[in-house]
Amino acid sequence: MTGPDRSASGPDRSAPGPDRPAAGPADDGLFAPGAVPGEAAGSARARAEEELAIEQALALVGGSTLGPSRPPRGQRPGGGGDGDDPSGTPDGGEAWSSTSRTGDGRNADPTSASPTSASPMSSAPNARTDAGAHTPGNRPGPHSGDRVQSGSTSAGCTSPRASRTANQPAPSLSWSRARAVAARAGRGGPLAAVRLPLDRALGHVLAEPLGALTDLPSFDTSAMDGWAVAGPGPWAFEAGAGILAGHAPATALPDGAAVRIATGARVPPDTTAVIRSEHAYADEAKGLLHAERSVATGQDIRPRGQECRSGEQLVPAGTVVTPAVLGLAAAAGYDALPAVPRPRVDILVLGDELLAAGLPHDGLIRDALGPMLGPWLRALGAEVAGPRRLGDDAGALRDALAASDADLIVTTGGTASGPVDHVHPVLAELGAELLVDGVAVRPGHPMLLARLPSGPSGAHTAGRPEGQRDATAEQRKESPDGPYLVGLPGNPLAAVSGLVTLVEPLIAGLAGRPAQDAYRALVHAEVHGHPHDTRLVPVVHRAGRAGGRDHVAPLRYNGPAMLRGIAAADGLAVVEPGGVRSGTEVEILDLPWAPATPWTEGCFT
């Protein structure tokens, strides 16, 4: 379906042409290498660096071929956490870089990256366990259908999680599997319903089907300004008489009679048709009306029930309440609507290095996620509290989780295994169940999804004897039906990856919203892939030229710490391991502020 150019204004740089000058790797535009011509030298260098990266990955897994075993999370090729981008291009930002904060990379220094930086990390044991659904204390939870068994081998055998040794790798879930787990978690419980007045229902989701409370229209009405007539003409009329909208006719209309009528007015009983004013001639002297065109029975009359009959379903449950739905509901007689409450979300921003205002200085950087997450989550249909900045304080994090009454808690940073990455230890202390612990996606693989227990939090048992605390934790683990927690990596684009991978499908389920429809689009440029993981790459939609197909163009500045690419994007391309060639199709995820057309069609066509 062809539509207008959805990118920012300016010349289209997504399609090479003979009239464009060559642009090399130093091109400072937004389009990625390969989306503009003249990048052969950069591509050769990228391939060489990719081969080196793959060799490092093979060395880390201890084999000469790519097998099912993978190094522990946070110790993947390059040791750079979110920054494992095999492209080796300048656009990768922190591609294959080590970071000053293990795995998370919130204070990553791309200039310090080197192929050997992974070596010290690769020999360190990983004390944490399986990436499937489990408690941080290595204990299976009650929802085992949603998880990957940690003892799985390439032969398909399983062993208890408790038998895993500390230095065994923790396999991440595939990207599609992680999204499915998040979606299923959101749909796991019954949806609550509240009745909201029409002026407060906009943007909510209908908890029940919207049925008509009356026929629409509820009586025969005139579709046009003109004359209501009965029987064959000419028709006699009374000067000055007429029927207006909102006024019921006094009597039935006898044969051979006519009366003026306004649009929307109730037609008198026994009316044969309505003749538009411009299609009739009124002889005022004789008091007779003549039709200047043939008259068909029922013409320009909206009969009762033409749009719907009482009790007929107008829109199904799960429909987002738009302005048009509000108008339909009002027309059908509703004063309030049964709606699903918006999921309540708390945002906890972690990291001592973050500034809330001013310019970066002395090793401190601005918090980019606090200002971004609230509007993003609201666009997904959530009710969001203002972000709370906790620093790198495990006690403050534990207390904040204990005090939250939200349906979902979103944390930023601290999801890896560095010295101040407190999310996993605090979740273990609280007896949370991990549904997703690491995802095979770049950027953003250290993301997680957990379910906190209901009832008293572990923070409230800190002063109790150790045995009593353990018993309370075990009791909470049996019923992990408290709020969900999504731990996002601290790097900004890695956090965006977590939003579209875990948060979006989870909130859609909690809010009763339909999942985003998957679709594919042609990509104009070669897009490098990770050897093992899915990549999410910012793209912009472009309209085809001269009858060509609509397509997407990948954008530069797509490193895990960068937001420049996603700020110009209207979607994310899902790039499978190994990458894609120019001219092939890739799955596209629309960003919540991207217009729906021309890529989707309405349901009333």
Side-chain angles (χ1 to χ4, degrees):
M1 185 171 180
T2 302
D5 188 341
R6 294 168 42 161
S7 68
S9 60
D12 184 352
R13 305 181 59 189
S14 63
D19 57 337
R20 294 190 58 246
D27 190 309
D28 60 356
L30 277 172
F31 289 98
V36 294
E39 304 259 3
S43 298
R45 178 172 57 84
R47 284 194 295 271
E49 294 187 10
E50 182 174 355
E51 291 173 1
L52 175 60
I54 294 174
E55 290 176 3
Q56 294 172 352
L58 294 176
L60 285 172
V61 300
S64 59
T65 59
L66 294 177
S69 298
R70 295 167 62 184
R73 191 175 55 258
Q75 303 173 26
R76 304 286 287 279
D82 301 335
D84 296 18
D85 183 347
S87 66
T89 66
D91 314 306
E94 295 164 53
W96 298 102
S97 66
S98 62
T99 66
S100 60
R101 304 273 305 259
T102 305
D104 189 334
R106 291 184 299 191
N107 284 344
D109 180 4
T111 64
S112 65
S114 68
T116 60
S117 62
S119 299
M121 297 177 62
S122 62
S123 60
N126 187 349
R128 288 193 289 108
T129 56
D130 177 48
H134 59 281
T135 61
N138 198 29
R139 177 185 171 281
H143 307 298
S144 59
D146 290 349
R147 62 204 61 170
V148 175
Q149 294 297 323
S150 62
S152 298
T153 68
S154 59
C157 301
T158 61
S159 60
R161 283 193 189 88
S163 67
R164 179 184 295 281
T165 59
N167 61 356
Q168 283 182 294
S172 299
L173 291 182
S174 70
W175 178 79
S176 58
R177 173 70 171 158
R179 281 198 107 216
V181 170
R184 186 159 51 250
R187 298 192 302 265
L191 295 174
V194 294
R195 295 196 69 82
L196 295 177
L198 295 185
D199 60 356
R200 291 176 48 202
L202 182 66
H204 284 76
V205 173
L206 290 177
E208 303 169 5
L210 192 67
L213 301 179
T214 181
D215 295 344
L216 283 182
S218 54
F219 46 79
D220 294 348
T221 63
S222 175
M224 304 295 294
D225 292 330
W227 298 84
V229 299
W235 302 271
F237 66 90
E238 294 182 18
I243 305 172
L244 300 177
H247 299 271
T251 59
L253 196 62
D255 277 355
V259 62
R260 287 188 181 273
I261 194 167
T263 301
R266 184 171 184 170
V267 300
D270 301 330
T271 296
T272 301
V274 170
I275 304 175
R276 304 182 188 191
S277 297
E278 61 270 26
H279 296 163
Y281 167 68
D283 187 341
E284 301 287 349
K286 297 181 179 179
L288 291 177
L289 179 74
H290 300 271
E292 297 182 338
R293 299 188 179 184
S294 61
V295 177
T297 300
Q299 75 177 27
D300 287 329
I301 295 176
R302 294 186 60 213
R304 175 174 181 165
Q306 182 187 51
E307 186 170 358
C308 66
R309 290 292 184 181
S310 179
E312 185 177 341
Q313 179 176 306
L314 300 176
V315 289
T319 299
V320 177
V321 178
T322 63
V325 171
L326 289 175
L328 176 62
Y334 284 89
D335 301 315
L337 293 177
V340 179
R342 288 192 179 99
R344 296 166 299 161
V345 181
D346 283 345
I347 301 172
L348 306 179
V349 179
L350 312 182
D352 289 341
E353 74 277 22
L354 301 178
L355 295 169
L359 292 175
H361 62 87
D362 301 325
L364 302 177
I365 60 174
R366 280 295 298 269
D367 168 28
L369 295 181
M372 181 180 75
L373 290 181
W376 196 305
L377 294 168
R378 292 185 188 96
L380 296 178
E383 178 182 317
V384 187
R388 295 177 56 192
R389 294 177 173 85
L390 303 183
D392 288 316
D393 187 329
L397 174 60
R398 181 177 58 249
D399 292 344
L401 297 184
S404 175
D405 62 352
D407 301 299
L408 169 63
I409 303 166
V410 176
T411 63
T412 68
T415 57
S417 52
V420 290
D421 290 331
H422 299 306
V423 174
H424 281 93
V426 169
L427 291 177
E429 181 179 347
L430 296 178
E433 180 190 21
L434 284 174
L435 304 176
V436 175
D437 191 9
V439 179
V441 66
R442 300 300 168 121
H445 74 91
M447 68 182 74
L448 64 85
L449 169 62
R451 186 77 184 268
L452 293 168
S454 62
S457 170
H460 298 158
T461 67
R464 300 180 187 176
E466 184 175 348
Q468 187 175 353
R469 289 202 306 269
D470 291 344
T472 304
E474 286 300 313
Q475 184 178 11
R476 288 195 306 273
K477 289 175 184 178
E478 295 302 324
S479 57
D481 53 358
Y484 289 100
L485 180 142
V486 171
L488 300 176
N491 269 325
L493 190 59
V496 169
S497 178
L499 284 172
V500 299
T501 301
L502 299 179
V503 176
E504 180 200 325
L506 179 65
I507 286 181
L510 293 174
R513 288 174 176 258
Q516 183 181 143
D517 291 333
Y519 69 96
R520 303 180 71 83
L522 198 69
V523 61
H524 268 207
E526 181 179 357
V527 183
H528 295 285
H530 189 274
H532 312 287
D533 299 346
T534 300
R535 284 189 71 206
L536 300 181
V537 179
V539 295
V540 64
H541 289 82
R542 312 292 287 178
R545 291 180 173 179
R549 290 180 59 185
D550 296 337
H551 60 275
V552 296
L555 299 173
R556 297 169 64 95
Y557 308 108
N558 53 31
M562 301 179 179
L563 289 175
R564 187 173 173 183
I566 195 70
D570 54 18
L572 287 166
V574 181
V575 180
E576 297 297 328
V580 296
R581 295 184 178 276
S582 179
T584 58
E585 289 188 342
V586 292
E587 181 180 349
I588 300 296
L589 299 176
D590 282 329
L591 298 177
W593 56 84
T597 56
W599 308 98
T600 58
E601 295 180 355
C603 60
F604 293 106
T605 54

